């Protein structure tokens, strides 16, 4: 198929070759509905939801919009809570500054895909299920594949080839310009830019490739298609829409010239976002931050205190490198505009 929209429609059923990125903490029902109404694949971030919440949100989306829906889950290894004494010691001055005590529990811990979530997927039968940080166990993966198309996230050619061997229906090629957590899962990861990664992955695998990272407008979508991708996944482009759950502090940075960077101090794993007080004080990468997702546990009381005061001093402000070009407009209209810009760029 030479028509990019037709290629993507065959893969997903969407009219516009765009996947609205899940974005845990910033995405949700309203954003997915608006993107679907605009002709894109809508996505629900499920990394912070239990099975009952996934079922409830999918019901809301289905009642409000037709079209393909993607449910996104994490597949990280969740080890026992580590000894985080050194991390809490590093945070001691901030506890004193905010007048709060270190949290005692691990509320809101991001959990990997499991049996309960798999049962929910089987009952809900979404068009697409996407996984970040690798894939679930083969038995769970086979059950998902029986009811939905499976998309995996790759940051290297080796990861893309692995996903193809495991039976994925498409690869999301995540370049280093992307906001949020880097989805690497094989050893030896090194950041690769979107342009180089997409072109290499397209040549390395036979399944469709979806470009992600630094794509903010229709011209970027067109560029991805010209590199051989079947579509593009956009996250930061949707952060400034009224349907996103991004905070006022987050939105203000989107329309500025503030730079983004990789940091592990907010979650324990490298993710791209804007600077805040914690990053400035400890540096973007801390060797004492516990592994993902445990680093966030000790930040809970600090984050709550600062956010109640209208500050994002300890909050993740994930965004990609093209964040300054985000447009504050309704997500349905943005999706349609992206499609129009893409076609204009392609001369159609």
């Amino acid at each position: 198929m030479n028509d990019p929209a037709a290629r993507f429609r065959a893969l997903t059923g969407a009219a516009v070759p765009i996947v609205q990125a899940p974005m845990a903490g910033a995405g949700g029902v309203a954003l997915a509905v608006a993107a679907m109404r605009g002709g894109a694949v809508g996505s629900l971030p499920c990394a912070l939801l239990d099975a009952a919440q996934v079922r409830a949100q999918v019901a809301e989306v289905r009642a409000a919009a037709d079209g393909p829906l993607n449910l996104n889950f994490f597949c990280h290894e969740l080890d026992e809570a580590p000894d985080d004494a050194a991390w809490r010691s590093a945070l001691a001055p901030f506890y004193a500054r905010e007048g709060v005590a270190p949290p005692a529990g691990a509320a809101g811990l991001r959990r990997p895909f499991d049996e309960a979530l798999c049962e929910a997927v089987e009952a809900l039968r979404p068009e697409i299920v996407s996984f970040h940080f690798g894939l679930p166990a083969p038995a769970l993966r086979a059950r998902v594949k029986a009811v939905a198309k499976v998309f995996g996230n790759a940051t290297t050619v080796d990861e893309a080839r692995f996903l193809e061997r495991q039976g994925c229906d498409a690869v999301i090629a995540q370049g280093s310009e992307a906001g949020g957590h880097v989805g690497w899962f094989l050893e030896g990861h090194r950041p690769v830019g979107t342009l180089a990664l997409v072109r290499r992955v397209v040549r390395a695998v036979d399944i469709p490739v979806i470009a992600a990272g630094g794509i903010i407008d229709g011209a970027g979508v067109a560029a991805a298609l010209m590199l051989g991708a079947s579509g593009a996944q956009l996250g930061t482009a949707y952060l400034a829409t009224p349907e996103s759950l991004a905070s006022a502090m987050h939105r203000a940075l989107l329309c500025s010239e503030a730079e983004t960077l990789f940091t592990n101090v907010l979650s324990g794993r490298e993710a791209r976002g804007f600077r805040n007080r914690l990053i400035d004080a400890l540096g973007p990468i801390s060797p004492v931050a516990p592994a993902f997702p445990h680093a966030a546990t000790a930040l809970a009381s600090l984050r709550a205190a600062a956010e109640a005061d209208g500050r994002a001093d300890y909050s993740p402000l994930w965004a990609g490198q093209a964040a300054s070009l985000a447009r504050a407009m309704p997500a349905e209209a943005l999706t349609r505009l992206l499609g129009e810009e893409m076609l204009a760029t392609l001369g159609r």
Side-chain angles (χ1 to χ4, degrees):
M1 300 178 188
N2 294 322
D3 179 358
R7 286 188 305 173
F8 195 76
R9 191 179 301 114
L11 173 66
T12 67
V16 181
I18 290 173
V19 177
Q20 164 253 318
M23 300 184 296
V29 171
L31 185 55
V33 166
M36 290 165 68
R37 288 177 174 171
V41 173
S43 298
L44 287 177
C46 302
L48 291 173
L49 306 181
D50 60 28
Q53 291 171 317
V54 171
R55 291 171 185 262
Q57 290 197 12
V58 170
E60 289 186 65
V61 172
R62 294 303 196 198
D66 295 321
L69 176 63
N70 166 42
L71 303 185
N72 177 256
F73 300 93
F74 284 1
C75 292
H76 56 287
E77 296 288 335
L78 186 60
D79 299 323
E80 292 295 322
D83 180 359
D84 64 351
W87 180 231
R88 291 178 181 250
S89 177
L91 296 177
F94 301 100
Y95 293 132
R97 174 188 175 85
E98 301 293 344
V100 299
L109 199 64
R110 296 180 186 226
R111 297 193 173 277
F113 190 70
D114 59 14
E115 174 68 25
L117 292 170
C118 188
E119 290 179 0
V121 166
E122 289 175 309
L124 296 167
R125 302 181 72 89
E127 286 73 21
I128 301 162
V129 173
S130 62
F131 294 109
H132 210 57
F133 307 137
L135 296 171
L140 292 178
R141 186 166 70 247
R143 290 165 58 185
V144 172
K145 193 167 172 58
V147 299
K149 289 187 176 176
V150 174
F151 290 7
N153 189 91
T155 64
T156 66
V157 170
D158 284 345
E159 289 178 347
R161 286 175 172 148
F162 172 86
L163 296 173
E164 182 179 40
R165 290 195 302 271
Q166 301 308 309
C168 286
D169 296 287
V171 171
I172 299 169
Q174 183 195 31
S176 59
E177 298 94 329
H181 285 95
V182 182
W184 63 267
F185 59 93
L186 295 181
E187 294 298 324
H189 170 259
R190 295 290 184 274
V192 181
T194 303
L195 188 153
L197 179 64
V198 169
R199 193 61 177 154
R200 292 173 61 198
V201 170
V202 164
R203 293 188 174 191
V205 301
D206 293 325
I207 57 177
V209 176
I210 297 170
I215 303 172
I216 201 81
D217 55 22
V221 177
L225 300 180
M226 293 174 70
L227 291 172
S230 296
Q233 179 170 282
L234 281 66
T236 304
Y238 284 100
L239 282 177
T241 67
E243 293 87 355
S244 94
L245 302 177
S247 67
M249 300 88 79
H250 201 168
R251 292 173 187 274
L253 289 167
L254 290 171
C255 299
S256 73
E257 293 301 319
E259 295 294 329
T260 61
L261 77 173
F262 285 121
T263 181
N264 75 335
V265 301
L266 297 170
S267 70
R269 186 177 177 121
E270 294 90 342
R272 181 179 289 282
F274 295 111
R275 289 181 172 274
N276 62 13
R277 176 184 292 275
L278 188 68
I279 294 170
D280 285 339
L282 298 183
I285 304 297
S286 171
V288 299
F292 179 91
H294 297 287
T297 298
L299 295 174
S301 57
L302 292 170
R303 180 175 174 179
E307 289 181 352
D309 193 35
R311 293 178 286 118
D313 292 350
Y314 315 98
S315 305
L317 299 167
W318 306 142
Q321 284 191 313
S324 65
L325 301 176
R327 292 169 285 193
M329 60 187 295
E332 180 178 350
L334 173 62
T335 305
R336 296 185 188 281
L337 178 59
L338 290 167
E340 292 167 2
E341 292 174 338
M342 175 201 74
L343 291 174
T345 302
L346 294 173
R348 304 192 177 190

